[in-house]
Amino acid sequence: MSPQGRQFVLIGGGARSGKSAFALSMAQRLGSRRIFVATAQGLDDEMRARIDRHRQERPTSFTTMEEPLALAAVLDTIVQADVVLIDCLTLWLSNLLVSEVPVETVVHKIDELGAAIARRRFHVVLVTNEVGLGLVPETALGRNFRDVVGQAHQRLSVNADQIYAALLGQILRLRPGPVELTGDLGAP
């Protein structure tokens, strides 16, 4: 069990798999003082529209903090929360790489995030995308992204109390075992 009985929940899956909706539902069950840490950046019209749509879909019971780069630092500033939902790890990693942060530094920042999660005083629900099941990316940036995401999953999952995977419209609980189907996400 995590510090003071607080859970670290890792929820992964592919794009549009239902993982974020599942994470919102879980965070609502974990406490009434809820913070949503958004890592997306509205760098173009399409992404700004996505961000606006997500804000509108998010329950008003969440206080939103936007932090595209300094994720560990922002976690360390939070004191009045029962649960913090971070959506998402892969956008954060992408933001770092696109900002030309060297891969070695990104890996160090992953470890800093893991340390911040370990010293937290609240539940953490962390959403991430599984990107390693597809083709090998054509570009060095794409390959670095895929590799860094894989490293992040390995490093962070070690300390997760619960791990879920959204797959084919279903949510599978991977930890604690045994692996179990926990929910049907239904039609979009």
Side-chain angles (χ1 to χ4, degrees):
M1 180 73 59
S2 299
Q4 304 156 337
R6 300 300 185 183
Q7 297 282 305
F8 168 33
V9 182
L10 181 63
I11 301 171
R16 306 301 301 160
S17 64
K19 62 192 176 297
S20 292
F22 179 75
L24 280 168
S25 175
M26 175 166 282
Q28 288 176 300
R29 291 190 307 269
L30 289 172
S32 59
R33 297 178 304 165
R34 304 173 187 121
I35 295 177
F36 187 99
V37 178
T39 61
Q41 297 183 86
L43 300 178
D44 59 38
D45 289 341
E46 186 272 338
M47 192 61 173
R48 283 188 288 276
R50 277 181 184 264
I51 291 169
D52 287 342
R53 188 172 54 252
H54 282 282
R55 280 185 192 132
Q56 292 169 7
E57 293 170 352
R58 190 174 311 132
T60 58
S61 61
F62 285 85
T63 299
T64 299
M65 300 175 74
E66 295 182 358
E67 183 47 60
L69 298 172
L71 201 46
V74 82
L75 283 183
D76 285 337
T77 68
I78 298 171
V79 292
Q80 296 295 320
D82 297 319
V83 59
V84 173
L85 169 55
I86 303 166
D87 198 353
C88 82
L89 177 72
T90 41
L91 276 176
W92 173 65
L93 294 169
S94 174
N95 295 340
L96 293 170
L97 290 170
V98 170
S99 297
E100 299 184 359
V101 174
V103 169
E104 301 78 26
T105 303
V106 173
V107 172
H108 178 71
K109 289 184 176 294
I110 293 165
D111 291 338
E112 287 177 349
L113 175 62
I117 291 171
R119 63 180 169 263
R120 77 206 176 278
R121 296 173 297 279
F122 40 78
H123 299 290
V124 171
V125 178
L126 178 60
V127 177
T128 188
N129 287 286
E130 176 52 63
V131 299
L133 297 174
L135 300 172
V136 175
E138 286 184 26
T139 66
L141 178 60
R143 289 186 296 275
N144 284 338
F145 173 70
R146 180 210 49 198
D147 294 349
V148 163
V149 170
Q151 288 181 42
H153 291 165
Q154 290 181 51
R155 286 170 136 72
L156 296 172
S157 68
V158 168
N159 294 313
D161 299 295
Q162 298 179 51
I163 301 174
Y164 295 87
L167 182 66
L168 299 172
Q170 307 293 309
I171 297 290
L172 296 173
R173 187 188 67 225
L174 304 177
R175 180 182 297 155
V179 173
E180 179 179 68
L181 180 66
T182 63
D184 181 344
L185 295 171

